[in-house]
Amino acid sequence: DAGVIQSPRHEVTEMGQEVTLRCKPISGHNSLFWYRQTMMRGLELLIYFNNNVPIDDSGMPEDRFSAKMPNASFSTLKIQPSEPRDSAVYFCASSLTQGRFEQFFGPGTRLTVL
Amino acid sequence: SQQGEEDPQALSIQEGENATMNCSYKTSINNLQWYRQNSGRGLVHLILIRSNEREKHSGRLRVTLDTSKKSSSLLITASRAADTASYFCATEEYGNKLVFGAGTILRVKS
């Protein structure tokens, strides 16, 4: 199994630009999570999906952030417009909804907004 | 919001020594998990302990859970340089949503 796949691995953009982060979960997993990690705030859950349906988006910082999961094998996290304070590492993780509940993390996308 | 709080924030030991990290949390949980993160990488699941379990072992890892004190500890025995990483506890509050602590940075010197 290839594990959770994220793209791009690194993104450098200018303030005001739209940024789209992509995630392919592990096949057969039906829960998907988006996290943001910074030195100041640690690892924060932004949103998670069960069976492609958003369950809890209370961690999404503001309306500039949106996430979609059009099918079981793909999700996007979009920031529009981006701001320097959005600079962070964004992780996608997937898990089985039932059973052991361990989450499998992707390698992350390091976002730098200038 | 952070549920688990790890202690210490950083730990430096010699190879071969044991490393102990502690985690405290605030609310009732279904399970508690420990993850490791190597520099520049994603988190890797180490071990899960359910709320009705008190101790669990996996290789050189030993995890304890005290629900009355809302605390857990992770013991790594006979540490190796390759154990150098950040370690996070995470609590499952409901469904399968995890809340992560701030982490302990472990450095194992060879």
Side-chain angles (χ1 to χ4, degrees), chain B residues 22-34:
Chain B
N22 303 297
C23 170
S24 60
Y25 57 92
K26 299 173 184 173
T27 63
S28 297
I29 60 173
N30 291 328
N31 66 65
L32 185 144
Q33 305 181 32
W34 286 90

Side-chain angles (χ1 to χ4, degrees), chain A:
Chain A
D1 197 325
V4 175
I5 299 172
Q6 290 187 248
S7 64
R9 293 295 309 279
H10 301 273
E11 177 82 27
V12 180
T13 190
E14 294 193 345
M15 184 174 63
Q17 296 297 306
E18 177 180 300
V19 175
T20 299
L21 311 181
R22 297 173 176 79
C23 175
K24 177 178 169 54
I26 293 173
S27 177
H29 284 187
N30 48 13
S31 291
L32 183 139
F33 308 82
W34 282 100
Y35 292 91
R36 178 174 68 176
Q37 187 177 39
T38 62
M39 289 293 292
M40 291 296 294
R41 300 177 64 89
L43 193 65
E44 303 172 279
L45 176 66
L46 301 177
I47 185 171
Y48 80 97
F49 297 82
N50 278 350
N51 297 314
N52 312 337
V53 176
I55 302 300
D56 185 344
D57 65 354
S58 60
M60 296 285 262
E62 47 199 275
D63 292 345
R64 297 184 297 107
F65 286 69
S66 63
K68 293 182 180 179
M69 192 164 185
N71 57 62
S73 58
F74 183 66
S75 177
T76 60
L77 178 68
K78 184 178 292 186
I79 308 172
Q80 164 68 15
S82 58
E83 296 182 2
R85 59 192 168 122
D86 301 330
S87 297
V89 181
Y90 291 80
F91 289 103
C92 175
S94 70
S95 75
L96 293 169
T97 303
Q98 303 298 327
R100 294 175 58 197
F101 304 111
E102 70 175 285
Q103 294 184 13
F104 294 81
F105 280 73
T109 294
R110 181 173 294 276
L111 174 65
T112 302
V113 183
L114 303 174

